[in-house]
Amino acid sequence: MILSLEWLTEFTDTAEINVKEFCNRMTDTGSKVEGYEILGEDIENVKVGRITSIRKHENSDHLQICMLDVGTDSPLQIVTGAQNVFEGAIVPVAVAVAHLPGDVTIKPGKLRGVASEGMLCSIGELNLTEHDMPGADNNGILILGEEFADDIGHDIRDVLKLSDTAVEFEITPNRPDCLSVIGLAREASVSFDKKLNLHTPEVKGTSDGDNIKNYLSVTNQSPALCPRYTARVVKNVHIAPSPLWLRARLRASGVRPINNIVDITNYVMLEYGQPMHAFDYKCLDGSAITVRTAAEGEHFISLDSKEHTLDSAALVIADAKKPVALAGVMGGENSEIVDSTTTVVFESANFMGASVRVTAKKQGMRTESSARFEKGLDPENTLPAIQRACELVELLGAGEVVDGIIDIYPGKTDARRVAFEPERINTFLGTDIDVDFMKDALMRLGFVFDGSCVIVPSWRSDVEDMADLAEEVIRIRGYNTIQSTAIYASTTEGCRTPKQKFELLLERTLIGMGLSEIQTFSFISPKFYDKFGMSSDDSRRRSVVISNPLGEDTSIMRTTALPSMLEVLSRNNNFNNENTRLFEMATVYLPSEDPDALPEEPTSLTIGFYGKGDFYTMKGMLETLCRVSRVKVSCTAKSDDPSFHPGRCAELIAEDGAVIGVFGQIHPNVASNYGFSAPVYCAEIRVPVLFAHAHEMEEYHPLPKYPAVTRDFSFTCDEQLEVGVIENVMSRAGGKLVEDVRLFDIYRGAQLGEGKKSVSMRVVLRAADRTLTQEDSDKISAKIIDALARDLGITLRS
């Protein structure tokens, strides 16, 4: 929407307000300004002058020497080549030094030896067109009529009303009322605390007994698409150019002047925001108008001479035989106002916005009219708008307004009422605005108070509840007046759950060990289980089946995340990443025995790497995780998992025997399925089980005050006996005095025999309250030796 500030002053006194201040304040109160242009500022020192004499240039056949009266004491001499000038002509004169549009500067000079003190201007040199100045010669100097005789010596910008400021607004779709001068004037009057000057159009009519019923009848067959249709007739029409003041306002608003009747419809559309249309009465067959939907495939030629094929969804304005307008979009060529038009039918109607938008988009002919209708206009505006058009007809002497109005309005509704709750508005805004200010702001915006309710004006369909009233109040008060305050609400402080904190601890620990986190899809292909080497009777093959999968590759929910981990590791290996360490905090889905019950969704921590590292690297990672989780675990060999190497796989076991997870080297056959030729190591940890055994508080142990006693034990045992089992037996046998048990040597040799190994263990003994004696150490050593013999059948090596 382009607003002429000169036009605005007709409704509210903003003439003394600086344009930048105007734009900033209007933007602050909700009418966003995109920019502004000061019209006529590129024209300087151009005056109205009269040619007092003309003589031929003695050194040229086409140049003439003009003497001009420009209101100064002495006449001005200008040499021109224009042939349409004559003595007594009133013309625009650029008095040197002058400036014209296009960064043109006029300086004094000589033409063929004769001094010229300026230049006579054409309409093009003033950046005007023949629409702006009807009757002007495009190829000659602009000749002004005798009505400008009193303006000799005056600035051409004031005389031709070229001085104005055009402000461009970006109006949001919920505020179609601001697509008008009156709508923006209402906003400006409240924003700047100025009086709003509106007047009710007055139409005298002919009072000769003639009535609109003698000319026209209207039938509305689609009240849902056309809630209101208003029409008036003007006879004895005289088609002529509009007066200068009207043309200037249209030009400043970005609309090209055409003739008085068409200009009136455009003027009212800009002023009231109500699109209008004028029909040539003699082109209406049957002297009737019918508002109806188009027949399927019906043809229509618009004002721009383009043919359109309509469908049954399009709303048309038709006479007895044909469509004469596409409702809310554009009129038809068959009823266009022409110079011979003598009787005009003015249409001011309200059309459903969605219908207009669909039709305009289908036909590829979005117009100023359709852009307004599609946002939803006020049905109450059709009558004042058509009255204003008829008032202008009488003011311009463009015709005689026939008495009577056709106004079909079957869908009139009651005004919306919203409860006025000042305390609630202040609470909602976090402000302490005075009730009187609220009422004053709302009333000046057009709201009416009725007891404890506010009656919403018809043009504000966007106001529905208390929050909308609060927005109206605060935008006028100013959003920058809201003081920053702490949030006040009855709520609880947000924080992570213990489980979330625990999972975050695991993630940060793994990242600290150089692993990168990944995320994979929870749905997989059943073929993943075969590729992973899972046995046919494995319980993990029982999966949740997706009812509407995208394909077989995403048809089930995974029960283990290790296949997904191997897929990512394989992709990295194919990209020649030589050393890859990854982990994922994955969700797996374990179906319930009850088919109607939802599956369990435990979290499974998967770890995988290849390249640098081996089985013990993975074991160290898991021991670190257990240490930061404060969980005591032991490792037990596992050889029956077909997905892992039978000799390089182990389970993590909690103190109560619960299995926390499994880790080890992936079976070579499985690794080969994923394209690996080198070892791959993976682990899968049951996070809920690990979390259940984690200790929230770490137990404090003071630094030891007394020295430790170290005892070494070497014994022969079967090759299959795990060192971890030996450590557990020795720890239990030694009791609280055992501080540490660790392996320091393994020996295998022919003298030990087939399937035997020599294991050397170091036990650290310490008491917290005393120094251990030789006797204490011997007793504990004897208990350890007895336990090894009793539980494992092994004895000290001789």
Side-chain angles (χ1 to χ4, degrees), residues 301-317:
I301 299 177
S302 55
L303 279 172
D304 54 2
S305 301
K306 294 181 180 179
E307 184 173 352
H308 303 271
T309 301
L310 309 178
D311 57 23
S312 58
L315 187 70
V316 297
I317 310 301

Side-chain angles (χ1 to χ4, degrees), residues 708-715 726-744 760-766 772 777 780-781 783-785 788 796:
V709 176
T710 302
R711 289 293 178 97
D712 293 341
F713 301 85
S714 295
F715 40 82
I726 298 173
E727 288 180 353
N728 291 338
V729 172
M730 297 179 76
S731 294
R732 287 196 303 270
K736 295 181 179 180
L737 295 180
V738 176
E739 186 178 81
D740 187 30
V741 178
R742 66 180 61 185
L743 172 74
F744 69 86
S760 297
M761 309 290 293
R762 178 164 295 157
V763 179
V764 179
L765 305 176
R766 192 194 305 268
L772 293 178
S777 301
I780 295 171
S781 298
K783 288 182 179 180
I784 290 173
I785 293 171
L788 289 173
L796 290 178

